[in-house]
Amino acid sequence: MNKHDVKYLSSHEWLYVEGNKAKVGISSYAAMHLGDIVFFDLPKVGQTFKKEAVFGAVESVKSASDLYLPASGTVVAVNEALVTKPELVNEDPFNNWIVEIELSDLSELNSLLDVTQYEATL
């Protein structure tokens, strides 16, 4: 997966859609600007969130930031590897997703940014 395969929120989260499910992560721009990531506050499987709701947080040596869900849905998996190795996102932000969700409204995908639109916001 790379930056062209995903859709974005301007708040730097990405969404990779596979059918009615999607993996969610943060962009390489966000990972680079956060610096060394030291902790993720992850949601629980089964939790439901609306589009752009805070679903977790990321903490680095520089700061802490909320994580916003790009589309409404229910968490079906969390990347447990990030509990012990949060730095994996610094190493490869597009292949180290944070949560996987089951999408509840596919029409919301139309309002997300493609890579060109996202990079124009930086």
Side-chain angles (χ1 to χ4, degrees):
M1 181 177 350
N2 65 57
K3 68 181 185 178
H4 298 281
D5 297 333
V6 300
K7 298 274 192 178
Y8 297 88
L9 276 180
S10 59
S11 55
H12 312 295
E13 291 81 3
W14 56 256
L15 184 84
Y16 178 73
V17 178
E18 301 171 293
N20 67 341
K21 293 183 180 174
K23 290 185 170 78
V24 178
I26 61 171
S27 70
S28 56
Y29 176 86
M32 181 179 69
H33 280 80
L34 281 166
D36 295 335
I37 296 173
V38 296
F39 178 76
F40 278 97
D41 180 19
L42 300 171
K44 296 189 182 329
V45 171
Q47 284 188 276
T48 298
F49 298 92
K50 294 287 188 189
K51 179 180 179 186
E52 299 187 33
V54 173
F55 72 91
V58 56
E59 186 176 321
S60 72
V61 293
K62 291 181 180 177
S63 64
S65 300
D66 288 333
L67 296 167
Y68 299 93
L69 203 62
S72 300
T74 301
V75 176
V76 295
V78 296
N79 187 349
E80 297 290 343
L82 299 182
V83 173
T84 56
K85 293 187 172 191
E87 67 274 14
L88 290 173
V89 172
N90 288 116
E91 295 169 9
D92 188 352
F94 291 104
N95 287 303
N96 288 293
W97 52 276
I98 300 168
V99 296
E100 183 176 26
I101 62 170
E102 183 171 326
L103 298 164
S104 61
D105 184 354
L106 295 175
S107 70
E108 292 176 345
L109 303 178
N110 298 327
S111 64
L112 297 176
L113 306 174
D114 64 25
V115 67
T116 302
Q117 294 167 318
Y118 171 69
E119 289 180 347
T121 68
L122 302 178

